[in-house]
Amino acid sequence: MINKEALLDSIIDELRKIHQLALDATQRAIDQATDKEAIARSKYETFGLEASYLAHGQAVRVSECEADILAYRKLPRLVYTEDSSINQGALVTLVNQDDVESWSIGGWSESGSSRLSVFIDHTICTIRESNNRAAAWG
């Protein structure tokens, strides 16, 4: 059985790594947008403008990553039973036709990132995300 608290800590650690990548990408985009080579010499040169749009988009991504980290920190630590409905925070064991187990936990993502997987207790756990907190499992 996976320790759910340790799993959530691992998820937050992975989200922090994604956040750091977003911060680094934002800084690179800002550097490009403010570089003297980005200054337009004619109305047809749009590199600086494009770089500023990219910097803004990356800054939005940083904010979304921060929202994801905060959401997982605030996730209620509810105890689920076999009779409980699956919802955000539910740790679910899935068994395929060959009796191979896999684990998933219901989550969400403001950043719309694809599925995230973490390795814990010699097991891979997939975080099934939705960018709609009310419909993480659907």
Side-chain angles (χ1 to χ4, degrees):
M1 182 75 174
I2 292 178
N3 178 325
K4 189 173 176 181
E5 199 62 38
L7 172 62
L8 291 172
D9 289 342
S10 293
I11 291 169
I12 291 169
D13 287 345
E14 286 300 315
L15 291 173
R16 283 187 185 132
K17 291 175 188 174
I18 293 168
H19 178 252
Q20 186 59 52
L21 290 172
L23 282 172
D24 295 344
T26 300
Q27 189 57 54
R28 283 191 306 275
I30 289 170
D31 291 345
Q32 283 182 339
T34 58
D35 188 81
K36 67 180 181 178
E37 294 295 319
I39 297 171
R41 291 175 184 78
S42 75
K43 65 181 180 178
Y44 301 107
E45 291 183 10
T46 61
F47 179 75
L49 179 62
E50 293 166 7
S52 68
Y53 286 142
L54 178 60
H56 172 74
Q58 292 294 351
V60 169
R61 184 171 170 238
V62 167
S63 295
E64 292 169 343
C65 289
E66 290 168 353
D68 289 346
I69 292 168
L70 182 62
Y72 276 95
R73 282 186 182 153
K74 289 185 170 185
L75 183 69
R77 304 316 200 240
L78 302 175
V79 176
Y80 290 88
T81 66
E82 290 183 11
D83 298 325
S84 298
S85 296
I86 297 172
N87 205 340
Q88 287 97 357
L91 180 59
V92 179
T93 305
L94 305 170
V95 182
N96 71 10
Q97 65 272 17
D98 298 324
D99 289 330
V100 176
E101 289 186 355
S102 61
W103 296 83
S104 290
I105 188 167
W108 56 84
S109 173
E110 292 293 328
S111 59
S113 60
S114 61
R115 287 187 183 175
L116 177 69
S117 293
V118 295
F119 188 72
I120 184 166
D121 295 338
H122 308 288
T123 305
I124 293 177
C125 183
T126 301
I127 295 78
R128 184 178 165 130
E129 296 181 339
S130 168
N131 60 2
N132 179 350
R133 292 183 185 191
W137 291 80

